[in-house]
mmCIF file with all atom_site columns, all heavy atoms in Angstrom:
data_model
loop_
_atom_site.group_PDB
_atom_site.id
_atom_site.type_symbol
_atom_site.label_atom_id
_atom_site.label_alt_id
_atom_site.label_comp_id
_atom_site.label_asym_id
_atom_site.label_entity_id
_atom_site.label_seq_id
_atom_site.pdbx_PDB_ins_code
_atom_site.Cartn_x
_atom_site.Cartn_y
_atom_site.Cartn_z
_atom_site.occupancy
_atom_site.B_iso_or_equiv
_atom_site.pdbx_formal_charge
_atom_site.auth_seq_id
_atom_site.auth_comp_id
_atom_site.auth_asym_id
_atom_site.auth_atom_id
_atom_site.pdbx_PDB_model_num
ATOM 1   N N   . ILE A 1 1  ? 0.873   -1.173 -0.001  1.00 90.00 ? 1  ILE A N   1
ATOM 2   C CA  . ILE A 1 1  ? -0.004  0.002  0.004   1.00 90.00 ? 1  ILE A CA  1
ATOM 3   C C   . ILE A 1 1  ? 0.906   1.219  -0.003  1.00 90.00 ? 1  ILE A C   1
ATOM 4   O O   . ILE A 1 1  ? 1.678   1.429  0.941   1.00 90.00 ? 1  ILE A O   1
ATOM 5   C CB  . ILE A 1 1  ? -0.938  0.015  1.219   1.00 90.00 ? 1  ILE A CB  1
ATOM 6   C CG1 . ILE A 1 1  ? -1.854  -1.219 1.186   1.00 90.00 ? 1  ILE A CG1 1
ATOM 7   C CG2 . ILE A 1 1  ? -1.780  1.297  1.215   1.00 90.00 ? 1  ILE A CG2 1
ATOM 8   C CD1 . ILE A 1 1  ? -2.778  -1.312 2.384   1.00 90.00 ? 1  ILE A CD1 1
ATOM 9   N N   . ILE A 1 2  ? 0.832   2.014  -1.072  1.00 91.00 ? 2  ILE A N   1
ATOM 10  C CA  . ILE A 1 2  ? 1.773   3.116  -1.276  1.00 91.00 ? 2  ILE A CA  1
ATOM 11  C C   . ILE A 1 2  ? 1.068   4.459  -1.131  1.00 91.00 ? 2  ILE A C   1
ATOM 12  O O   . ILE A 1 2  ? -0.010  4.676  -1.700  1.00 91.00 ? 2  ILE A O   1
ATOM 13  C CB  . ILE A 1 2  ? 2.410   3.035  -2.682  1.00 91.00 ? 2  ILE A CB  1
ATOM 14  C CG1 . ILE A 1 2  ? 3.095   1.687  -2.881  1.00 91.00 ? 2  ILE A CG1 1
ATOM 15  C CG2 . ILE A 1 2  ? 3.396   4.181  -2.892  1.00 91.00 ? 2  ILE A CG2 1
ATOM 16  C CD1 . ILE A 1 2  ? 4.258   1.427  -1.979  1.00 91.00 ? 2  ILE A CD1 1
ATOM 17  N N   . GLU A 1 3  ? 1.642   5.359  -0.350  1.00 93.00 ? 3  GLU A N   1
ATOM 18  C CA  . GLU A 1 3  ? 1.118   6.728  -0.255  1.00 93.00 ? 3  GLU A CA  1
ATOM 19  C C   . GLU A 1 3  ? 1.382   7.462  -1.556  1.00 93.00 ? 3  GLU A C   1
ATOM 20  O O   . GLU A 1 3  ? 2.486   7.377  -2.122  1.00 93.00 ? 3  GLU A O   1
ATOM 21  C CB  . GLU A 1 3  ? 1.754   7.455  0.933   1.00 93.00 ? 3  GLU A CB  1
ATOM 22  C CG  . GLU A 1 3  ? 1.363   6.874  2.286   1.00 93.00 ? 3  GLU A CG  1
ATOM 23  C CD  . GLU A 1 3  ? 1.906   7.684  3.443   1.00 93.00 ? 3  GLU A CD  1
ATOM 24  O OE1 . GLU A 1 3  ? 2.595   8.710  3.194   1.00 93.00 ? 3  GLU A OE1 1
ATOM 25  O OE2 . GLU A 1 3  ? 1.643   7.313  4.594   1.00 93.00 ? 3  GLU A OE2 1
ATOM 26  N N   . THR A 1 4  ? 0.397   8.183  -2.044  1.00 92.00 ? 4  THR A N   1
ATOM 27  C CA  . THR A 1 4  ? 0.508   8.833  -3.341  1.00 92.00 ? 4  THR A CA  1
ATOM 28  C C   . THR A 1 4  ? 1.069   10.246 -3.286  1.00 92.00 ? 4  THR A C   1
ATOM 29  O O   . THR A 1 4  ? 1.350   10.846 -4.331  1.00 92.00 ? 4  THR A O   1
ATOM 30  C CB  . THR A 1 4  ? -0.871  8.897  -4.022  1.00 92.00 ? 4  THR A CB  1
ATOM 31  O OG1 . THR A 1 4  ? -1.781  9.630  -3.192  1.00 92.00 ? 4  THR A OG1 1
ATOM 32  C CG2 . THR A 1 4  ? -1.420  7.499  -4.246  1.00 92.00 ? 4  THR A CG2 1
ATOM 33  N N   . ASP A 1 5  ? 1.251   10.785 -2.082  1.00 92.00 ? 5  ASP A N   1
ATOM 34  C CA  . ASP A 1 5  ? 1.766   12.142 -1.938  1.00 92.00 ? 5  ASP A CA  1
ATOM 35  C C   . ASP A 1 5  ? 3.142   12.241 -2.596  1.00 92.00 ? 5  ASP A C   1
ATOM 36  O O   . ASP A 1 5  ? 4.061   11.490 -2.248  1.00 92.00 ? 5  ASP A O   1
ATOM 37  C CB  . ASP A 1 5  ? 1.849   12.530 -0.460  1.00 92.00 ? 5  ASP A CB  1
ATOM 38  C CG  . ASP A 1 5  ? 2.266   13.990 -0.281  1.00 92.00 ? 5  ASP A CG  1
ATOM 39  O OD1 . ASP A 1 5  ? 1.917   14.807 -1.133  1.00 92.00 ? 5  ASP A OD1 1
ATOM 40  O OD2 . ASP A 1 5  ? 2.938   14.295 0.728   1.00 92.00 ? 5  ASP A OD2 1
ATOM 41  N N   . GLY A 1 6  ? 3.290   13.151 -3.534  1.00 90.00 ? 6  GLY A N   1
ATOM 42  C CA  . GLY A 1 6  ? 4.549   13.302 -4.232  1.00 90.00 ? 6  GLY A CA  1
ATOM 43  C C   . GLY A 1 6  ? 4.730   12.374 -5.415  1.00 90.00 ? 6  GLY A C   1
ATOM 44  O O   . GLY A 1 6  ? 5.709   12.483 -6.146  1.00 90.00 ? 6  GLY A O   1
ATOM 45  N N   . LEU A 1 7  ? 3.794   11.455 -5.601  1.00 91.00 ? 7  LEU A N   1
ATOM 46  C CA  . LEU A 1 7  ? 3.865   10.512 -6.717  1.00 91.00 ? 7  LEU A CA  1
ATOM 47  C C   . LEU A 1 7  ? 2.831   10.804 -7.814  1.00 91.00 ? 7  LEU A C   1
ATOM 48  O O   . LEU A 1 7  ? 3.114   10.657 -8.979  1.00 91.00 ? 7  LEU A O   1
ATOM 49  C CB  . LEU A 1 7  ? 3.664   9.089  -6.223  1.00 91.00 ? 7  LEU A CB  1
ATOM 50  C CG  . LEU A 1 7  ? 4.813   8.395  -5.491  1.00 91.00 ? 7  LEU A CG  1
ATOM 51  C CD1 . LEU A 1 7  ? 4.390   6.996  -5.079  1.00 91.00 ? 7  LEU A CD1 1
ATOM 52  C CD2 . LEU A 1 7  ? 6.056   8.335  -6.368  1.00 91.00 ? 7  LEU A CD2 1
ATOM 53  N N   . LEU A 1 8  ? 1.612   11.167 -7.397  1.00 92.00 ? 8  LEU A N   1
ATOM 54  C CA  . LEU A 1 8  ? 0.514   11.337 -8.342  1.00 92.00 ? 8  LEU A CA  1
ATOM 55  C C   . LEU A 1 8  ? -0.073  12.735 -8.262  1.00 92.00 ? 8  LEU A C   1
ATOM 56  O O   . LEU A 1 8  ? -0.239  13.291 -7.176  1.00 92.00 ? 8  LEU A O   1
ATOM 57  C CB  . LEU A 1 8  ? -0.594  10.318 -8.058  1.00 92.00 ? 8  LEU A CB  1
ATOM 58  C CG  . LEU A 1 8  ? -0.335  8.881  -8.488  1.00 92.00 ? 8  LEU A CG  1
ATOM 59  C CD1 . LEU A 1 8  ? -1.399  7.962  -7.924  1.00 92.00 ? 8  LEU A CD1 1
ATOM 60  C CD2 . LEU A 1 8  ? -0.283  8.750  -9.995  1.00 92.00 ? 8  LEU A CD2 1
ATOM 61  N N   . GLU A 1 9  ? -0.410  13.270 -9.430  1.00 91.00 ? 9  GLU A N   1
ATOM 62  C CA  . GLU A 1 9  ? -1.123  14.544 -9.512  1.00 91.00 ? 9  GLU A CA  1
ATOM 63  C C   . GLU A 1 9  ? -2.235  14.387 -10.535 1.00 91.00 ? 9  GLU A C   1
ATOM 64  O O   . GLU A 1 9  ? -2.074  13.717 -11.558 1.00 91.00 ? 9  GLU A O   1
ATOM 65  C CB  . GLU A 1 9  ? -0.185  15.677 -9.942  1.00 91.00 ? 9  GLU A CB  1
ATOM 66  C CG  . GLU A 1 9  ? 0.921   15.995 -8.941  1.00 91.00 ? 9  GLU A CG  1
ATOM 67  C CD  . GLU A 1 9  ? 1.850   17.088 -9.407  1.00 91.00 ? 9  GLU A CD  1
ATOM 68  O OE1 . GLU A 1 9  ? 1.552   17.688 -10.480 1.00 91.00 ? 9  GLU A OE1 1
ATOM 69  O OE2 . GLU A 1 9  ? 2.861   17.324 -8.743  1.00 91.00 ? 9  GLU A OE2 1
ATOM 70  N N   . PHE A 1 10 ? -3.378  15.005 -10.244 1.00 91.00 ? 10 PHE A N   1
ATOM 71  C CA  . PHE A 1 10 ? -4.540  14.918 -11.131 1.00 91.00 ? 10 PHE A CA  1
ATOM 72  C C   . PHE A 1 10 ? -5.044  16.313 -11.456 1.00 91.00 ? 10 PHE A C   1
ATOM 73  O O   . PHE A 1 10 ? -5.156  17.161 -10.563 1.00 91.00 ? 10 PHE A O   1
ATOM 74  C CB  . PHE A 1 10 ? -5.672  14.131 -10.467 1.00 91.00 ? 10 PHE A CB  1
ATOM 75  C CG  . PHE A 1 10 ? -5.291  12.734 -10.045 1.00 91.00 ? 10 PHE A CG  1
ATOM 76  C CD1 . PHE A 1 10 ? -4.801  12.487 -8.777  1.00 91.00 ? 10 PHE A CD1 1
ATOM 77  C CD2 . PHE A 1 10 ? -5.403  11.668 -10.923 1.00 91.00 ? 10 PHE A CD2 1
ATOM 78  C CE1 . PHE A 1 10 ? -4.438  11.205 -8.381  1.00 91.00 ? 10 PHE A CE1 1
ATOM 79  C CE2 . PHE A 1 10 ? -5.048  10.390 -10.557 1.00 91.00 ? 10 PHE A CE2 1
ATOM 80  C CZ  . PHE A 1 10 ? -4.562  10.159 -9.270  1.00 91.00 ? 10 PHE A CZ  1
ATOM 81  N N   . THR A 1 11 ? -5.350  16.557 -12.721 1.00 89.00 ? 11 THR A N   1
ATOM 82  C CA  . THR A 1 11 ? -5.964  17.820 -13.118 1.00 89.00 ? 11 THR A CA  1
ATOM 83  C C   . THR A 1 11 ? -7.114  17.546 -14.069 1.00 89.00 ? 11 THR A C   1
ATOM 84  O O   . THR A 1 11 ? -7.121  16.527 -14.777 1.00 89.00 ? 11 THR A O   1
ATOM 85  C CB  . THR A 1 11 ? -4.967  18.761 -13.818 1.00 89.00 ? 11 THR A CB  1
ATOM 86  O OG1 . THR A 1 11 ? -4.444  18.120 -14.988 1.00 89.00 ? 11 THR A OG1 1
ATOM 87  C CG2 . THR A 1 11 ? -3.814  19.138 -12.906 1.00 89.00 ? 11 THR A CG2 1
ATOM 88  N N   . ILE A 1 12 ? -8.095  18.431 -14.052 1.00 88.00 ? 12 ILE A N   1
ATOM 89  C CA  . ILE A 1 12 ? -9.184  18.402 -15.031 1.00 88.00 ? 12 ILE A CA  1
ATOM 90  C C   . ILE A 1 12 ? -9.197  19.740 -15.741 1.00 88.00 ? 12 ILE A C   1
ATOM 91  O O   . ILE A 1 12 ? -9.343  20.783 -15.099 1.00 88.00 ? 12 ILE A O   1
ATOM 92  C CB  . ILE A 1 12 ? -10.538 18.131 -14.375 1.00 88.00 ? 12 ILE A CB  1
ATOM 93  C CG1 . ILE A 1 12 ? -10.598 16.725 -13.792 1.00 88.00 ? 12 ILE A CG1 1
ATOM 94  C CG2 . ILE A 1 12 ? -11.682 18.311 -15.387 1.00 88.00 ? 12 ILE A CG2 1
ATOM 95  C CD1 . ILE A 1 12 ? -11.909 16.363 -13.149 1.00 88.00 ? 12 ILE A CD1 1
ATOM 96  N N   . ASN A 1 13 ? -8.989  19.710 -17.051 1.00 82.00 ? 13 ASN A N   1
ATOM 97  C CA  . ASN A 1 13 ? -8.893  20.930 -17.841 1.00 82.00 ? 13 ASN A CA  1
ATOM 98  C C   . ASN A 1 13 ? -7.877  21.903 -17.232 1.00 82.00 ? 13 ASN A C   1
ATOM 99  O O   . ASN A 1 13 ? -8.075  23.108 -17.225 1.00 82.00 ? 13 ASN A O   1
ATOM 100 C CB  . ASN A 1 13 ? -10.255 21.604 -17.982 1.00 82.00 ? 13 ASN A CB  1
ATOM 101 C CG  . ASN A 1 13 ? -11.242 20.719 -18.715 1.00 82.00 ? 13 ASN A CG  1
ATOM 102 O OD1 . ASN A 1 13 ? -10.858 19.850 -19.501 1.00 82.00 ? 13 ASN A OD1 1
ATOM 103 N ND2 . ASN A 1 13 ? -12.530 20.933 -18.481 1.00 82.00 ? 13 ASN A ND2 1
ATOM 104 N N   . GLY A 1 14 ? -6.792  21.355 -16.696 1.00 82.00 ? 14 GLY A N   1
ATOM 105 C CA  . GLY A 1 14 ? -5.723  22.181 -16.138 1.00 82.00 ? 14 GLY A CA  1
ATOM 106 C C   . GLY A 1 14 ? -5.874  22.550 -14.682 1.00 82.00 ? 14 GLY A C   1
ATOM 107 O O   . GLY A 1 14 ? -4.954  23.090 -14.082 1.00 82.00 ? 14 GLY A O   1
ATOM 108 N N   . GLU A 1 15 ? -7.023  22.260 -14.084 1.00 87.00 ? 15 GLU A N   1
ATOM 109 C CA  . GLU A 1 15 ? -7.262  22.592 -12.682 1.00 87.00 ? 15 GLU A CA  1
ATOM 110 C C   . GLU A 1 15 ? -6.960  21.382 -11.801 1.00 87.00 ? 15 GLU A C   1
ATOM 111 O O   . GLU A 1 15 ? -7.462  20.281 -12.033 1.00 87.00 ? 15 GLU A O   1
ATOM 112 C CB  . GLU A 1 15 ? -8.721  23.045 -12.462 1.00 87.00 ? 15 GLU A CB  1
ATOM 113 C CG  . GLU A 1 15 ? -9.104  24.284 -13.243 1.00 87.00 ? 15 GLU A CG  1
ATOM 114 C CD  . GLU A 1 15 ? -8.386  25.541 -12.752 1.00 87.00 ? 15 GLU A CD  1
ATOM 115 O OE1 . GLU A 1 15 ? -7.925  25.530 -11.584 1.00 87.00 ? 15 GLU A OE1 1
ATOM 116 O OE2 . GLU A 1 15 ? -8.271  26.513 -13.525 1.00 87.00 ? 15 GLU A OE2 1
ATOM 117 N N   . THR A 1 16 ? -6.144  21.586 -10.779 1.00 89.00 ? 16 THR A N   1
ATOM 118 C CA  . THR A 1 16 ? -5.764  20.496 -9.884  1.00 89.00 ? 16 THR A CA  1
ATOM 119 C C   . THR A 1 16 ? -6.958  20.031 -9.052  1.00 89.00 ? 16 THR A C   1
ATOM 120 O O   . THR A 1 16 ? -7.726  20.842 -8.540  1.00 89.00 ? 16 THR A O   1
ATOM 121 C CB  . THR A 1 16 ? -4.630  20.938 -8.941  1.00 89.00 ? 16 THR A CB  1
ATOM 122 O OG1 . THR A 1 16 ? -3.505  21.337 -9.721  1.00 89.00 ? 16 THR A OG1 1
ATOM 123 C CG2 . THR A 1 16 ? -4.205  19.806 -8.014  1.00 89.00 ? 16 THR A CG2 1
ATOM 124 N N   . ILE A 1 17 ? -7.115  18.718 -8.944  1.00 91.00 ? 17 ILE A N   1
ATOM 125 C CA  . ILE A 1 17 ? -8.148  18.137 -8.093  1.00 91.00 ? 17 ILE A CA  1
ATOM 126 C C   . ILE A 1 17 ? -7.496  17.176 -7.116  1.00 91.00 ? 17 ILE A C   1
ATOM 127 O O   . ILE A 1 17 ? -6.421  16.625 -7.402  1.00 91.00 ? 17 ILE A O   1
ATOM 128 C CB  . ILE A 1 17 ? -9.222  17.398 -8.923  1.00 91.00 ? 17 ILE A CB  1
ATOM 129 C CG1 . ILE A 1 17 ? -8.601  16.217 -9.702  1.00 91.00 ? 17 ILE A CG1 1
ATOM 130 C CG2 . ILE A 1 17 ? -9.943  18.348 -9.863  1.00 91.00 ? 17 ILE A CG2 1
ATOM 131 C CD1 . ILE A 1 17 ? -9.607  15.308 -10.366 1.00 91.00 ? 17 ILE A CD1 1
ATOM 132 N N   . PRO A 1 18 ? -8.090  16.965 -5.959  1.00 92.00 ? 18 PRO A N   1
ATOM 133 C CA  . PRO A 1 18 ? -7.516  16.021 -4.996  1.00 92.00 ? 18 PRO A CA  1
ATOM 134 C C   . PRO A 1 18 ? -7.641  14.589 -5.472  1.00 92.00 ? 18 PRO A C   1
ATOM 135 O O   . PRO A 1 18 ? -8.608  14.225 -6.160  1.00 92.00 ? 18 PRO A O   1
ATOM 136 C CB  . PRO A 1 18 ? -8.344  16.255 -3.722  1.00 92.00 ? 18 PRO A CB  1
ATOM 137 C CG  . PRO A 1 18 ? -9.647  16.809 -4.221  1.00 92.00 ? 18 PRO A CG  1
ATOM 138 C CD  . PRO A 1 18 ? -9.305  17.616 -5.428  1.00 92.00 ? 18 PRO A CD  1
ATOM 139 N N   . GLY A 1 19 ? -6.646  13.780 -5.159  1.00 92.00 ? 19 GLY A N   1
ATOM 140 C CA  . GLY A 1 19 ? -6.661  12.375 -5.526  1.00 92.00 ? 19 GLY A CA  1
ATOM 141 C C   . GLY A 1 19 ? -6.646  11.507 -4.293  1.00 92.00 ? 19 GLY A C   1
ATOM 142 O O   . GLY A 1 19 ? -6.669  11.997 -3.155  1.00 92.00 ? 19 GLY A O   1
ATOM 143 N N   . PRO A 1 20 ? -6.619  10.198 -4.448  1.00 92.00 ? 20 PRO A N   1
ATOM 144 C CA  . PRO A 1 20 ? -6.601  9.279  -3.311  1.00 92.00 ? 20 PRO A CA  1
ATOM 145 C C   . PRO A 1 20 ? -5.277  9.380  -2.555  1.00 92.00 ? 20 PRO A C   1
ATOM 146 O O   . PRO A 1 20 ? -4.239  9.695  -3.125  1.00 92.00 ? 20 PRO A O   1
ATOM 147 C CB  . PRO A 1 20 ? -6.760  7.903  -3.965  1.00 92.00 ? 20 PRO A CB  1
ATOM 148 C CG  . PRO A 1 20 ? -6.205  8.086  -5.349  1.00 92.00 ? 20 PRO A CG  1
ATOM 149 C CD  . PRO A 1 20 ? -6.561  9.494  -5.740  1.00 92.00 ? 20 PRO A CD  1
ATOM 150 N N   . GLU A 1 21 ? -5.316  9.087  -1.266  1.00 93.00 ? 21 GLU A N   1
ATOM 151 C CA  . GLU A 1 21 ? -4.115  9.186  -0.443  1.00 93.00 ? 21 GLU A CA  1
ATOM 152 C C   . GLU A 1 21 ? -3.198  7.992  -0.635  1.00 93.00 ? 21 GLU A C   1
ATOM 153 O O   . GLU A 1 21 ? -1.984  8.087  -0.405  1.00 93.00 ? 21 GLU A O   1
ATOM 154 C CB  . GLU A 1 21 ? -4.503  9.311  1.037   1.00 93.00 ? 21 GLU A CB  1
ATOM 155 C CG  . GLU A 1 21 ? -5.251  10.592 1.360   1.00 93.00 ? 21 GLU A CG  1
ATOM 156 C CD  . GLU A 1 21 ? -5.599  10.697 2.843   1.00 93.00 ? 21 GLU A CD  1
ATOM 157 O OE1 . GLU A 1 21 ? -5.329  9.716  3.575   1.00 93.00 ? 21 GLU A OE1 1
ATOM 158 O OE2 . GLU A 1 21 ? -6.102  11.750 3.252   1.00 93.00 ? 21 GLU A OE2 1
ATOM 159 N N   . THR A 1 22 ? -3.759  6.867  -1.048  1.00 93.00 ? 22 THR A N   1
ATOM 160 C CA  . THR A 1 22 ? -2.945  5.668  -1.229  1.00 93.00 ? 22 THR A CA  1
ATOM 161 C C   . THR A 1 22 ? -3.349  4.944  -2.499  1.00 93.00 ? 22 THR A C   1
ATOM 162 O O   . THR A 1 22 ? -4.432  5.160  -3.064  1.00 93.00 ? 22 THR A O   1
ATOM 163 C CB  . THR A 1 22 ? -3.110  4.681  -0.056  1.00 93.00 ? 22 THR A CB  1
ATOM 164 O OG1 . THR A 1 22 ? -4.494  4.284  0.056   1.00 93.00 ? 22 THR A OG1 1
ATOM 165 C CG2 . THR A 1 22 ? -2.651  5.302  1.252   1.00 93.00 ? 22 THR A CG2 1
ATOM 166 N N   . MET A 1 23 ? -2.473  4.071  -2.974  1.00 91.00 ? 23 MET A N   1
ATOM 167 C CA  . MET A 1 23 ? -2.806  3.135  -4.053  1.00 91.00 ? 23 MET A CA  1
ATOM 168 C C   . MET A 1 23 ? -2.367  1.758  -3.567  1.00 91.00 ? 23 MET A C   1
ATOM 169 O O   . MET A 1 23 ? -1.393  1.623  -2.825  1.00 91.00 ? 23 MET A O   1
ATOM 170 C CB  . MET A 1 23 ? -2.137  3.523  -5.370  1.00 91.00 ? 23 MET A CB  1
ATOM 171 C CG  . MET A 1 23 ? -0.635  3.636  -5.344  1.00 91.00 ? 23 MET A CG  1
ATOM 172 S SD  . MET A 1 23 ? -0.013  4.206  -6.961  1.00 91.00 ? 23 MET A SD  1
ATOM 173 C CE  . MET A 1 23 ? 1.768   4.127  -6.694  1.00 91.00 ? 23 MET A CE  1
ATOM 174 N N   . ILE A 1 24 ? -3.083  0.731  -3.998  1.00 89.00 ? 24 ILE A N   1
ATOM 175 C CA  . ILE A 1 24 ? -2.864  -0.609 -3.456  1.00 89.00 ? 24 ILE A CA  1
ATOM 176 C C   . ILE A 1 24 ? -2.453  -1.570 -4.573  1.00 89.00 ? 24 ILE A C   1
ATOM 177 O O   . ILE A 1 24 ? -2.994  -1.522 -5.673  1.00 89.00 ? 24 ILE A O   1
ATOM 178 C CB  . ILE A 1 24 ? -4.117  -1.129 -2.724  1.00 89.00 ? 24 ILE A CB  1
ATOM 179 C CG1 . ILE A 1 24 ? -3.852  -2.479 -2.077  1.00 89.00 ? 24 ILE A CG1 1
ATOM 180 C CG2 . ILE A 1 24 ? -5.317  -1.201 -3.666  1.00 89.00 ? 24 ILE A CG2 1
ATOM 181 C CD1 . ILE A 1 24 ? -4.944  -2.923 -1.124  1.00 89.00 ? 24 ILE A CD1 1
#
């Protein structure tokens, strides 16, 4: 189970949106 902070970023039409805290 990996923390996504610093690994993943998500944007919609250039606007940043929050993503999940972990990936499994």
